[in-house]
Amino acid sequence: MIWLVWGLVLVVFVVLKLVWFAAHTAARVERVSPPQGAFVNVGGSRIHYVERGSGPVTLLMIHGLGGNAGNFLHSLVDRLATDFRVIVIDRPGSGYSTRADDAPADPRAQADVVAGIIDALALDRPVLVGHSLGGAISLATAIGYPSRVRALALVAPLTHVQPITPAVFRALMIERRAVRRAIGWTLATPLSMLRRARVLDFVFGPDPVPADFALAGGGILGMRPTAFIAASTDLMALRDDFAPLIAQYRALTMPVGVIFGTADRVLDHRIHGEGMRAHLPDVDLDLVDGAGHMIPLTAPDRVAAFVRRVAAAS
């Protein structure tokens, strides 16, 4: 009986220590990488956004799974802010944006938030620039709110059902919300630190990871428990709610462009890029030979030229 008591004491001590470490790490991260923009309340979420530049056309940028606004701010935004008004958001739960615990996270629900941002900021039919999962959310927004969207510039987008989750993301596949939060506030932070190099190599490869990605690209924000919880929530919400969107791609009438790296390890350009031509034969498809998934950071000149072309077509 005594050993059982001491065992329970030890378990409680370890759990409390992990929670303290997660909270301490999050506080340190937020000190060195504070929010750079403003906030707007939309449908129960407090959305952090950064605005740059000016111009007759607005670009609204939506990041991917586990990312944040820094993924665009690192290299792409300044290349476009000379000619466009650029708005970059942290999606609900990501970066410095919040999401209610019981809020849905499927692409249609996040599209509702994007449409709410367009209305709240009085944006005049922006061009949606969606990267990875942000591409799926951009498509859902254009389908659900076509009058609010000028064009779609999709960067390495998720456009079809992904049959197999890459191994580096499988730790995010947690069914129950309570378990997700428990892991987020205990094991997620130290495991993220241990797996960081492997995950970044997979996501960026074969391109190198920028040396300043942690701060300039928002990478360090992924060390916080909230980042793990948001990414897990987003990934699990894709399972049942994404497939019905695909049948509606043919209804899109605005210009749609897709740019992909041919060596993307996260999403196959043949399925998610070339596959779009089965639905939209006139899609502007731009393939970057030998590039990986994070082309907003690794091929910003090519991506900026692509965005300008899609915007001009609108």
Side-chain angles (χ1 to χ4, degrees):
M1 191 67 177
I2 293 175
W3 287 110
L4 178 60
V5 171
W6 278 109
L8 290 174
V9 170
L10 179 61
V11 169
V12 170
F13 173 79
V14 170
V15 170
L16 290 177
K17 190 70 173 178
L18 287 170
V19 172
W20 174 88
F21 180 72
H24 179 67
T25 300
R28 291 179 60 192
V29 165
E30 291 170 3
R31 281 197 298 271
V32 300
S33 185
Q36 301 181 47
F39 292 86
V40 61
N41 293 316
V42 177
S45 296
R46 186 170 184 254
I47 301 298
H48 173 243
Y49 70 96
V50 180
E51 181 170 351
R52 297 279 191 274
S54 61
V57 174
T58 299
L59 308 177
L60 179 57
M61 297 187 168
I62 307 168
H63 64 81
L65 181 71
N68 54 72
N71 297 171
F72 290 117
L73 292 167
H74 181 276
S75 300
L76 187 59
V77 168
D78 286 344
R79 285 170 164 81
L80 293 164
T82 54
D83 303 300
F84 299 94
R85 180 188 183 192
V86 184
I87 307 289
V88 190
I89 67 169
D90 286 333
R91 290 190 296 99
S94 301
Y96 281 99
S97 293
T98 64
R99 175 165 56 201
D101 287 343
D102 58 348
D106 60 276
R108 290 182 188 272
Q110 297 204 45
D112 293 340
V113 175
V114 172
I117 294 168
I118 293 172
D119 292 344
L121 300 181
L123 306 183
D124 179 20
R125 296 178 60 238
V127 176
L128 301 187
V129 182
H131 176 235
S132 196
L133 174 58
I137 293 165
S138 297
L139 284 161
T141 305
I143 290 168
Y145 302 91
S147 65
R148 289 175 171 83
V149 179
R150 184 181 302 270
L152 297 177
L154 308 177
V155 184
L158 174 71
T159 64
H160 290 75
V161 175
Q162 184 79 348
I164 299 175
T165 301
V168 296
F169 298 141
R170 287 177 193 160
L172 298 170
M173 298 178 68
I174 303 170
E175 183 76 33
R176 296 178 65 84
R177 185 189 309 159
V179 176
R180 196 179 296 148
R181 291 183 62 82
I183 293 175
W185 281 100
T186 54
L187 297 173
T189 296
L191 289 178
S192 294
M193 292 177 174
L194 290 173
R195 300 174 66 245
R196 180 178 182 273
R198 178 187 171 208
V199 172
L200 290 180
D201 177 70
F202 178 81
V203 173
F204 275 87
D207 302 314
V209 181
D212 61 350
F213 174 67
L215 289 178
I220 197 171
L221 294 176
M223 296 291 102
R224 300 177 305 160
T226 52
F228 175 88
I229 294 166
S232 176
T233 302
D234 289 339
L235 181 62
M236 298 307 292
L238 282 172
R239 294 175 307 160
D240 303 320
D241 299 305
F242 185 42
L245 285 173
I246 299 171
Q248 300 181 65
Y249 288 169
R250 293 179 183 272
L252 295 172
T253 58
M254 72 278 291
V256 178
V258 175
I259 186 169
F260 246 110
T262 60
D264 192 318
R265 298 172 179 173
V266 178
L267 299 173
D268 191 327
H269 73 278
R270 293 165 295 185
I271 297 173
H272 300 277
E274 294 170 13
M276 285 297 287
R277 284 186 164 157
H279 309 279
L280 299 167
D282 295 330
V283 67
D284 178 349
L285 180 61
D286 188 350
L287 298 179
V288 186
D289 189 45
H293 188 64
M294 298 300 287
I295 50 178
L297 294 95
T298 60
D301 288 329
R302 183 72 172 267
V303 174
F306 160 77
V307 172
R308 291 179 188 279
R309 189 168 68 247
V310 174
S314 68

